[in-house]
Amino acid sequence: MSLVAKAVLAGVLALGVGAGGVAYMNRGDKSETVKVATLKLTIKSTNGTHAFTVERAKTQDEQSRGLMFRTDLKPDGGMLFWPYPSTGGAPVDASFWMKNTPSSLDIVYIRADGTIARIAENTVPFSETPVPSGEPVGAVLELMGGRSAELGIAEGDLVTWDKRSD
């Protein structure tokens, strides 16, 4: 792969390609396909179990970038920030913002036991106003804005995923 192709690929990966998405990179007469790693996640609420396929932000850089610049969100996609913080350890108070994020999100703050502590619904795109968790959390899930209400997901619901994933 040429240096230019590698730089283009790095840019595509840095901006992301959506939950379960695929990036196509043209190189002359050839195309390369790059899959984005995803993770299966479920939320058990009073009206049933809701399945998602989400990207995982586990490094500090991935967590800092989150879903910035993204417009390709899928109804059953999203991004899981886990472990949170990226260095691991005990749960901490979290605060997210929407800087450089053109799509409204539901920010779901998850306690260490997997229950939802708070849902910040329909956050304002591009806002730099902090959106706090309100208590220490061990993970954060970002979903398409309005999706939590649409599915009846609420505080106290249980979020599960394969924590052995790396």
Side-chain angles (χ1 to χ4, degrees):
M1 183 182 300
S2 73
L3 183 58
V4 171
K6 286 180 183 178
V8 170
L9 178 59
V12 167
L13 293 174
L15 292 175
V17 294
V22 176
Y24 294 96
M25 190 172 85
N26 292 318
R27 232 180 67 199
D29 60 347
K30 295 182 179 180
S31 291
E32 294 182 36
T33 304
V34 178
K35 273 224 178 236
V36 174
T38 58
L39 178 68
K40 300 290 185 186
L41 177 144
T42 60
I43 301 176
K44 185 176 182 182
S45 66
T46 57
N47 66 351
T49 300
H50 309 285
F52 296 89
T53 301
V54 299
E55 297 173 44
R56 181 173 170 204
K58 62 182 178 178
T59 69
Q60 184 174 356
D61 285 344
E62 291 168 341
Q63 290 186 2
S64 293
R65 185 176 51 253
L67 291 173
M68 285 183 177
F69 310 106
R70 302 280 293 274
T71 57
D72 59 348
L73 302 179
K74 308 287 186 249
D76 296 322
M79 182 172 282
L80 178 67
F81 296 71
W82 174 75
Y84 189 83
S86 62
T87 54
V92 297
D93 281 23
S95 186
F96 279 49
W97 65 355
M98 296 293 292
K99 182 177 182 178
N100 298 321
T101 308
S103 302
S104 179
L105 301 174
D106 286 354
I107 302 175
V108 181
Y109 295 102
I110 306 167
R111 297 181 186 102
D113 67 0
T115 59
I116 296 175
R118 176 177 185 231
I119 302 174
E121 294 184 17
N122 292 306
T123 55
V124 178
F126 300 108
S127 174
E128 294 185 23
T129 302
V131 180
S133 60
E135 65 181 81
V137 295
V140 180
L141 175 64
E142 291 181 338
L143 301 173
M144 181 182 283
R147 195 70 173 131
S148 298
E150 182 180 324
L151 296 174
I153 295 169
E155 293 177 7
D157 288 352
L158 182 63
V159 183
T160 58
W161 64 91
D162 183 358
K163 294 181 177 63
R164 297 171 297 168
S165 298
D166 244 0

